[in-house]
Amino acid sequence: MTLYAFYFLSFLAVLSALMVVFSRNPIYSVLYLVITFVCVGCHYLLLSAEFLFAVHMIVYAGAIMVLFLYVIMLLNLNKEDEAHKSNYLRFAAVISAGLLMMVVVAALRGAEASQVDFSTVSNIGKVKVLGNLLFNEFLLPFEIVSILLLAAMVGAVMLAKTHMKRTAEPTHKKNGRASVANQNITTNIKELTK
Amino acid sequence: MNENITQAVQGIPLNYYIWLSTALFVIGVLGVLYRRNAIIIFMCIELMLNAVNLLLVAFSAYHGDGSGQVFVFFIMAVAAAEVAVGLAILIVIYHNTRTTDINVLNKLKW
């Protein structure tokens, strides 16, 4: 039963991942990516990682995908007239991806999964166990991640802000507000000295 | 309930998860090489990150060690930060050049 669930989810994940690459409309790519992420989340559930399932659904299928959709709609990219690479390059891409697959499969073919003690498996995905790990052993990385998220937020806001300035003052494209003020002062001085 | 889940994990060999993750990762690589739209390339990078996450969770579950799942949690945080900043950069680039085609955005190419 669970093996069939695994096959079904894997098939759906790989198929929709392929559709992400090969669909012509970026909106469809995003929607297929949502399907892939949901399938991967269900795999987490199959591996009894409930906490990660919840976080994955919220972060990936929720936040990141909405961000992608929002950007595509903001840039008005939901058309199918996107230029494609030449057939030669596309063929090369498929060949090199196939070669990578072959190399990885060949490298992992002999690897035998060692026999594992399953007595603790069903417990480790629980919020309690993961929380204990996160706030004891991994407390410092956790705090550093919060700093990273803060830095990313500040960075994203600053990028959006410079862009807002540029559209608001199209005549001074590359200058910030300070140099614009400087130019205003110099023109004022010139007018005064006339 | 717990016994059922343990049996579910036992029913699927670890190798299957390795093949699935490999396939997803290679599809991500294929997308990065195949497409010209920078946003699609971004999505394929997310796909690769997900393949690695899935493999980490599988290893963690099969070894009975929660550290792998904590690591996946950190990878998700880093991916979220990366997407936020990357998409902001893409929007700024689009407003300067009116395109997200990577064949046009080749100023850093030697």
Side-chain angles (χ1 to χ4, degrees):
Chain A
M1 179 58 203
T2 47
L3 200 59
Y4 289 126
F6 174 85
Y7 282 138
F8 176 70
L9 287 173
S10 309
F11 178 72
L12 207 59
V14 170
L15 193 73
S16 48
L18 281 173
M19 289 306 288
V20 170
V21 177
F22 292 116
S23 66
R24 299 184 67 85
N25 193 329
I27 293 277
Y28 292 160
S29 285
V30 174
L31 295 178
Y32 280 119
L33 197 58
V34 171
I35 297 177
T36 313
F37 282 169
V38 169
C39 287
V40 172
C42 292
H43 275 299
Y44 291 166
L45 210 55
L46 218 58
L47 287 164
S48 70
E50 292 95 352
F51 173 68
L52 274 185
F53 168 73
V55 173
H56 185 268
M57 282 299 163
I58 293 168
V59 172
Y60 272 109
I64 291 182
M65 285 301 100
V66 168
L67 215 56
F68 271 115
L69 267 182
Y70 192 71
V71 165
I72 285 174
M73 294 200 176
L74 196 68
L75 303 188
N76 206 9
L77 288 177
N78 51 347
K79 315 165 198 130
E80 302 192 358
D81 57 353
E82 177 203 337
H84 276 275
K85 285 187 174 173
S86 64
N87 278 335
Y88 172 67
L89 276 178
R90 286 203 263 177
F91 185 67
V94 172
I95 290 293
S96 41
L99 278 178
L100 178 66
M101 179 89 186
M102 220 174 77
V103 166
V104 176
V105 165
L108 292 175
R109 229 168 74 87
E112 201 59 47
S114 56
Q115 206 55 43
V116 193
D117 174 32
F118 284 100
S119 53
T120 54
V121 165
S122 56
N123 267 332
I124 59 162
K126 297 276 185 294
V127 181
K128 197 177 170 186
V129 179
L130 280 186
N132 265 334
L133 263 177
L134 197 58
F135 291 110
N136 286 322
E137 211 173 322
F138 295 95
L139 186 59
L140 183 65
F142 184 74
E143 298 295 339
I144 292 174
V145 159
S146 72
I147 294 175
L148 173 77
L149 284 177
L150 182 69
M153 194 181 76
V154 172
V157 169
M158 282 311 293
L159 282 169
K161 215 176 167 194
T162 52
H163 154 245
M164 267 157 54
K165 264 186 223 157
R166 269 176 211 162
T167 48
E169 298 155 4
T171 47
H172 308 290
K173 267 191 177 168
K174 285 184 179 174
N175 297 334
R177 192 167 285 161
S179 50
V180 172
N182 271 347
Q183 276 181 340
N184 284 344
I185 290 169
T186 49
T187 48
N188 283 347
I189 290 170
K190 271 180 195 166
E191 281 173 5
L192 280 176
T193 49
K194 261 178 197 172
Chain B
M1 184 66 188
N2 278 352
E3 286 78 26
N4 284 344
I5 291 167
T6 314
Q7 279 165 4
V9 172
Q10 273 175 320
I12 305 162
L14 181 58
N15 278 350
Y16 287 14
Y17 280 105
I18 296 178
W19 303 141
L20 174 63
S21 301
T22 309
L24 284 180
F25 189 87
V26 168
I27 291 170
V29 171
L30 172 67
V32 170
L33 294 173
Y34 192 87
R35 296 297 295 253
R36 277 171 63 176
N37 191 339
I39 292 179
I40 309 266
I41 289 176
F42 233 129
M43 287 193 241
C44 291
I45 291 171
E46 291 302 311
L47 205 58
M48 286 194 266
L49 280 173
N50 255 282
V52 175
N53 279 354
L54 178 62
L55 197 55
L56 270 174
V57 173
F59 279 144
S60 159
Y62 276 75
H63 272 269
D65 187 358
S67 304
Q69 303 197 2
V70 176
F71 207 79
V72 169
F73 179 73
F74 289 140
I75 292 177
M76 280 180 188
V78 172
E82 172 226 334
V83 165
V85 175
L87 285 179
I89 291 173
L90 267 185
I91 287 181
V92 175
I93 287 174
Y94 185 82
H95 279 280
N96 283 336
T97 63
R98 292 281 143 198
T99 181
T100 56
D101 189 343
I102 54 156
N103 280 25
V104 180
L105 311 173
N106 55 2
K107 291 267 163 46
L108 285 177
K109 204 167 153 190
W110 49 276

